Every structure is written in C-alpha cells, then in structure tokens.
Amino acid sequence: MMRQVRRGATPPGPGPSAPPYGAGVPQQPSYTDGQGHGGDGYDSGYNTGQVYGGSGGGQGPGRQAQGRPAPNWRRRIKWTAITVVTVLVVTTVGTYFWADSKLNREVDLSKVIERPEAGEGTNYLIVGSDSREGMTDEQKKDLHTGSAEGKRTDSMMILHTGDNGSTLISLPRDSDVEIPSFVGSESGKKYPGTGRHTKLNAAYAEDGPELLVRTIEHNTGLRLDHYVEIGFAGFANIVDAVGGVEMDIPQDIKDKKSGADFKKGKQTLNGEEALAFVRTRYALAGSDLDRTKNQQKFLSALAGQVATPSTVLNPFKLYPTMGAGLDSLIVDKDMGLFDLASMFWAMKSVSGGEGTSMNMPISGSVGGNLKWDDAKVKKLVEELKNDEKVTVSGN
C-alpha cells in the first residue's frame, strides 16, 4: 500500500484532485493558514484579487476592463444622426406621394377658350359648392343643407399671391355677368355667346367649373391660374379635423335656414357650426355682401389654424386634417401640393393682417343682380396683373 500524504484537514469523501500549477499561474494562498478562513479546507471562491496572467493588483475604480474597448461616442452619434435623417426623409417622401395621390384633379382648364394673358403672381379661384354628394340623410339634416340635387356655387373668391402681399376678393354669387362663348366641358361643342346676362353662380350650374372660369376671365380680364373647390361635407370635416376654429363673431346671429344660432363674442366653432356661420345671409343686414365678408374671415382663420405648429408638427392631427382636406377638394389638373400649400399660407397672411380682403366693387343693381363698378374693377385687375399693392376698395 502507498502512503497517503495529507495537507491539513481534508473534507470527507472522494473529490477531484487539483490540477498542477501551470506556467504563469501563481499559487493561490491557503485558506488554512490562519488568515481568518478556518481550517476545514472550504474554498469560499475568493482570491487575493490577483488576475491570472496579469501584473498583479485588482481592477481599480474607473479602470476599463482589459480587452473591452471604450465606447466610440462620435461613431454612435454619427450613426444615430444618419438613422434619424433617413427616417425623416423616407417619411417626408412617403407623405408627399400619399397626399399627392389623394388630390382630385378633375378640372381641365385647357378646355377654357379665349383666355387673357397671364400677369405677375398667381391667381386662385376658390369655390365653395353646395354639393351634398356622399352625405347621408342624417348629415343633411344636421348640417341644414336640404336635399337639392346637383350642385351650385355657394361662394366664390379670387386669391392673388405675389411679392406685394396677398389679396382675397369675394365675388357675390348674385353678380351680374355676361355668359361668353364657350366649349362644353362634356360635349366639346362650342356654344357662341349671345350677350346674355345672368347671375354669376348660374355659369357654374350651367356647365361646371370650366364655364365659371371662362365667365370670370371674360368679365374681369384676369387670368386664373388654379381652381380649388370644396363641398359642404368636406368643409365641415376639415374644421372638425383641426379641432375647431376660433372666431370672434361681431353680433348675435340666428338663422333657421342655415342653422346658425350664435351669441356675440369669441368662440370655437365645430364643423356643423362653421358651415352654418359661412352660409348665413338672411340674418345679416348686408345679406350676401356681409356673408362674403364672414366667409373671408372664416377661411383665413381656418388656414391659420391648419398652418400652426400644433397641427403641422403633430402627426395625430396633421394626417387626419390632410386626409379630410385632400379627400374633399376638387382642383385643376395642374395643381400640385406646393401650389396648395402656397394658397393656404397666403390665406393665413390675410388673416394675420399682412394682406387685403375685400368684395368685388359694386356700383348698384340691375334686374335684381349686383352690378360691378366697371372703373374700379378695371383698376383692380390692372394692379393684380402687375402684382402691385391693391389700392382699390370694395364693398
């Protein structure tokens, strides 16, 4: 039998023998040497802090672990910035194509004949129609629109934008105008002018947007660059999408036909209330002329609300607003998103006092229709064509 050699106390039972110390591996101190660990041979797992293969000494505070490089913060910031920019670009491009695809480009201004020469700046014809297309019976009742078939123009405005500020001009729907020769938008047939005079909104009812543009250009001599139209339901939806529009109503208004019932003072109008406000005329002393002034004030306020950072920078408000607006707008075939944005910014400038708002100058009435002041209209059109500061006043 071989003699067994014991190194201090040995725990009972068999156990694996410790491997021999290799090169570069220092011998660990015994825990039975009286340094506080007793003599039962139990290894607590702690050592003196010496690292195998190291130069001795533990890892001190603030020292980076060996083999682990310090973070490259410059590289991390660079790639974070690239990622953010990429996401923004992709989102912006995607939003642009989404919005562009929703524009209803239905009006073909190339069908308009004998057009005036283009002047300086840009002229938009903005039309509010009484179209009830797509509305349920309940919506017609809530919005007090009635159930008339077809559609007519409920409001018409010319917005001029240029280097000398923006000018918003309302064209009363009862304006006396001459219906000129025109080409039918559907038939393609040319109808000669007969000198017939009628109300301006009759041109739209007779052959739609193209004849309306032709009639306005013929009676003013001003070329219209773009056409924008919105119906009853679309108007109300946009107002609701932005969370309502604040208006300072100058007087108490109650009109059963439009559904308007307002007290004087500042208040936020929802879609239903806004539509009633812009349609009211029977409760106003100036009837249609006062109504057009209210329409200008409201549309300018609406544009200002849409163009605020709280709407533009909030995707939960921006996308519903854009969706409601783009779905309900009818524009000409050459209208782009940048043209539409320019129009809204110009209307916002009018509400901010940086532009001019007015009615078409009126000199009286003929056959129950409002007759334009020819001299003032001529001067106004000349200033708009030359993109000069408007000096003409309207009613």
Side-chain angles (χ1 to χ4, degrees), residues 8-66:
T10 302
S17 60
Y21 294 108
V25 180
Q27 181 175 352
Q28 299 300 297
S30 169
Y31 288 90
T32 61
D33 56 2
Q35 295 186 15
H37 294 281
D40 58 0
Y42 176 73
D43 185 355
S44 67
Y46 290 90
N47 61 25
T48 60
Q50 201 170 16
V51 181
Y52 290 174
S55 58
Q59 180 178 323
R63 290 183 59 184
Q64 185 70 30
Q66 292 185 11

Side-chain angles (χ1 to χ4, degrees), residues 275-336:
L275 185 58
F277 177 71
V278 299
R279 294 183 62 221
T280 295
R281 63 170 175 162
Y282 293 104
L284 306 175
S287 188
D288 203 39
L289 292 178
D290 281 350
R291 179 174 71 162
T292 56
K293 293 176 183 178
N294 284 342
Q295 290 171 346
Q296 289 178 348
K297 291 177 184 177
F298 187 86
L299 288 179
S300 296
L302 174 60
Q305 180 74 20
V306 171
T308 57
S310 63
T311 298
V312 175
L313 300 179
N314 183 354
F316 298 102
K317 184 179 285 189
L318 175 63
Y319 285 97
T321 301
M322 290 179 66
L326 296 173
D327 277 340
S328 55
L329 290 179
I330 296 175
V331 299
D332 65 271
K333 292 184 179 297
D334 294 326
M335 173 73 85

Side-chain angles (χ1 to χ4, degrees), residues 76-213:
R76 290 187 181 184
I77 292 172
K78 172 186 174 182
W79 282 107
T80 299
I82 291 174
T83 301
V84 170
V85 170
T86 301
V87 170
L88 288 175
V89 170
V90 170
T91 302
T92 301
V93 172
T95 299
Y96 176 87
F97 283 105
W98 166 78
D100 188 71
S101 67
K102 295 179 77 67
L103 275 178
N104 300 308
R105 296 183 174 93
E106 299 178 8
V107 180
D108 189 356
L109 296 182
S110 68
K111 295 180 180 179
V112 181
I113 63 173
E114 301 175 24
R115 308 192 68 186
E117 291 185 6
E120 300 294 326
T122 304
N123 299 310
Y124 299 85
L125 177 61
I126 303 171
V127 174
S129 77
D130 64 359
S131 171
R132 297 149 177 89
E133 184 177 352
M135 296 175 64
T136 64
D137 291 338
E138 184 178 354
Q139 287 176 315
K140 292 175 184 178
K141 180 180 178 181
D142 292 341
L143 299 177
H144 301 271
T145 65
S147 300
E149 296 297 327
K151 59 181 181 178
R152 287 148 293 278
T153 51
D154 209 53
S155 62
M156 291 159 283
M157 302 178 192
I158 294 175
L159 174 66
H160 173 83
T161 65
D163 295 334
N164 285 291
S166 302
T167 303
L168 187 61
I169 308 161
S170 284
L171 310 175
R173 66 179 191 174
D174 293 340
S175 297
D176 184 79
V177 293
E178 178 186 350
I179 301 296
S181 58
F182 67 97
V183 173
S185 58
E186 296 295 334
S187 66
K189 177 182 176 181
K190 184 171 182 178
Y191 298 89
T194 60
R196 173 170 58 101
H197 278 246
T198 185
K199 293 180 179 181
L200 180 57
N201 66 343
Y204 181 96
E206 187 172 331
D207 198 56
E210 288 85 358
L211 180 55
L212 178 62
V213 170

